[in-house]
Amino acid sequence: MSGFTDIFRQYDWQEISQSIHSKTSKDVEQALNAGSRSLEDFKALISPAAAPYLEQMAQISQQLTQKRFGKVIQMYVPMYLSNECNNICTYCGFSYENKVRRKTLSAIEIMEEVAAIKSMGYDHVLLVTGEANQSVHTDYFKKVLDLIKPHFAHISMEVQPLDLEDYQELTPYGLNTVLVYQETYHEEDYKKHHPKGKKSNFQYRLETPDRLGQAGIHKIGLGVLIGLEDWRTDSFFTALHLSYLEKRYWQSKYSISFPRLRPFSGGLEPKVIMNDRELVQLICAYRIFNQEIELSISTRESVSFRNNIIKLGITSISAGSKTNPGGYAVEPQSLEQFEISDERSAPEIAQMISDQGYDPVWKDWDLSLTKV
């Protein structure tokens, strides 16, 4: 069965980059006025030529988001289960070569974390691990899901890519959503940033969303690590991937996240710096391109940025996040995967959302939308 790789191989990185940078104000205006938008329109909306149209893009993005999602912002929180990892990744605090104490939560420790997260008000949890098949494998995930399923309405997972059979085994245990970021679609640079471990297999990672679609996963999350490569070209390939998946696995929902490279133990300087205006442009471009897509922003971003983005197209936001295993209750001082920027508590974020006339929602959309 052919997958996204066949589509991906038809495109050249350099040609796409040149095409984006050659877009004109006329192309941008055409994209803004179109009834439905193509990938060529998306190129125009993320191009340098679109920068002067940011206010207009923001207004359209706000209108389209409210029309589809109402004035609700979904709240979620990550729960890190393990920092064990067999991969060497140049940008990650959990990288195999980093000499840090490794930890994988036991059943008792997991329930301590669950209690702390529930006390914050959450009903949507994102499970996160490093990539270590010997310790955090399918059987471990089954046990974790079995433990926490009674306590959460919505369980997402961001772990190593798995085989189709693994995803099929996990769905009956309550797995709702899987996030798998390609990190970058620039294949040569991908190999530079992932020199060792299973993650170094570019094609296996690229085809993970295909396996998720075949397994009938309810929601599939895509994204790149902004800063590893040219964000405009990487975003085009993400949109290409999204378009392919929506056509082929139309029964699944989709989300996009926007992680910008943040400091961590060992540090990697971003190859490309994306400023706040450019991130707003990208978020609005995705919303104008695709009204169904859920758009998520994490605590990597600053307080002021997260305050200002609420009305412009974002549909889900994390708060009070800890990026280390046991960070909420078991072992608050263990090594973080990366530094967060917005350290406000979940109630503070919920209040900020309410102050802007929006409703913070602690469960999944299906329930919340009946109230809009």
Side-chain angles (χ1 to χ4, degrees):
M1 181 180 182
S2 62
F4 178 65
T5 302
D6 295 338
I7 306 292
F8 177 76
R9 298 293 179 209
Q10 298 172 24
Y11 291 82
D12 177 79
W13 178 279
Q14 199 57 41
E15 288 178 4
I16 294 298
S17 179
Q18 290 171 354
S19 175
I20 293 168
H21 283 83
S22 69
K23 294 297 183 184
T24 65
S25 57
K26 182 179 178 181
D27 295 321
V28 177
E29 290 169 10
Q30 181 176 311
L32 291 174
N33 294 318
S36 60
R37 281 87 182 187
S38 66
L39 282 163
E40 285 301 313
D41 291 325
F42 183 73
K43 284 183 189 176
L45 295 171
I46 61 173
S47 73
Y53 296 84
L54 188 57
E55 185 173 341
Q56 187 178 350
M57 289 177 65
Q59 290 173 353
I60 295 172
S61 179
Q62 180 183 18
Q63 292 165 3
L64 292 173
T65 305
Q66 286 189 18
K67 182 178 178 182
R68 168 61 181 85
F69 294 95
K71 285 190 170 184
V72 294
I73 304 290
Q74 186 184 17
M75 302 274 290
Y76 74 95
V77 71
M79 182 167 82
Y80 279 67
L81 300 171
S82 174
N83 63 4
E84 294 189 60
C85 195
N86 297 333
N87 296 317
I88 293 178
C89 301
T90 61
Y91 49 81
C92 182
F94 292 173
S95 184
Y96 178 78
E97 61 188 356
N98 284 358
K99 303 303 179 187
V100 298
R101 194 167 72 82
R102 305 292 174 165
K103 181 174 184 61
T104 297
L105 299 184
S106 66
I108 293 173
E109 291 171 331
I110 288 168
M111 293 314 296
E112 288 182 50
E113 292 291 287
V114 167
I117 288 171
K118 292 300 291 183
S119 72
M120 295 161 68
Y122 281 106
D123 216 2
H124 178 179
V125 67
L126 168 64
L127 305 178
V128 187
T129 71
E131 301 192 9
N133 291 329
Q134 301 93 327
S135 52
V136 282
H137 40 61
T138 302
D139 286 341
Y140 176 77
F141 298 140
K142 285 180 183 177
K143 291 173 184 175
V144 173
L145 291 169
D146 225 18
L147 275 173
I148 72 172
K149 184 180 178 181
H151 304 281
F152 295 100
H154 187 114
I155 303 172
S156 304
M157 182 178 279
E158 184 183 339
V159 301
Q160 71 265 29
L162 302 171
D163 292 339
L164 172 60
E165 294 75 16
D166 296 310
Y167 291 127
Q168 289 171 329
E169 286 181 36
L170 290 173
T171 48
Y173 285 81
L175 179 60
N176 181 284
T177 299
V178 177
L179 312 181
V180 56
Y181 304 143
Q182 189 60 31
E183 314 299 11
T184 178
Y185 287 85
H186 191 297
E187 190 165 2
E188 290 180 14
D189 273 15
Y190 180 94
K191 292 173 182 175
K192 292 176 187 175
H193 291 296
H194 308 95
K196 183 179 179 180
K198 192 173 181 180
K199 195 170 179 176
S200 63
N201 187 333
F202 178 86
Q203 185 171 331
Y204 183 78
R205 194 168 191 89
L206 190 68
E207 292 178 348
T208 303
D210 273 294
R211 297 193 294 278
L212 292 168
Q214 291 164 29
I217 293 293
H218 176 70
K219 190 190 304 178
I220 301 170
L222 304 177
V224 294
L225 183 54
I226 297 168
L228 289 186
E229 251 301 337
D230 171 49
W231 65 265
R232 291 184 169 92
T233 312
D234 253 337
S235 297
F236 167 81
F237 279 101
T238 309
L240 175 70
H241 205 166
L242 170 66
S243 296
Y244 157 82
L245 292 166
E246 283 191 324
K247 290 186 181 77
R248 185 152 196 172
Y249 310 107
W250 55 269
Q251 290 174 308
S252 292
K253 296 180 180 180
Y254 296 89
S255 68
I256 299 284
S257 298
F258 304 91
R260 285 195 279 189
L261 190 57
R262 291 281 301 160
F264 73 97
S265 173
L268 172 74
E269 289 298 316
K271 178 178 178 179
V272 179
I273 301 291
M274 170 195 253
N275 63 40
D276 287 355
R277 281 184 61 87
E278 289 170 334
L279 182 49
V280 171
Q281 179 185 346
L282 180 60
I283 290 168
C284 293
Y286 268 114
R287 171 60 64 228
I288 295 168
F289 172 64
N290 187 317
Q291 285 84 69
E292 294 296 317
I293 193 76
E294 296 179 21
L295 302 178
S296 178
I297 206 79
S298 77
T299 52
R300 288 174 184 259
E301 298 303 329
S302 70
V303 170
S304 60
F305 185 87
R306 280 164 43 101
N307 288 355
N308 291 325
I309 203 66
I310 292 297
K311 295 182 177 180
L312 300 185
I314 288 296
T315 55
S316 65
I317 190 169
S318 58
S321 303
K322 303 295 182 183
T323 68
N324 48 321
Y328 299 102
V330 174
E331 197 169 341
Q333 301 307 315
S334 64
L335 176 80
E336 296 179 319
Q337 186 183 26
F338 57 86
E339 294 178 16
I340 66 171
S341 183
D342 187 348
E343 297 184 351
R344 289 175 293 179
S345 68
E348 287 176 306
I349 296 295
Q351 187 60 53
M352 178 272 288
I353 292 169
S354 297
D355 289 345
Q356 296 198 43
Y358 281 64
D359 295 321
V361 174
W362 301 87
K363 294 189 178 183
D364 195 20
W365 295 117
D366 298 336
L367 276 173
S368 66
L369 284 176
T370 61
K371 296 186 271 183
V372 175

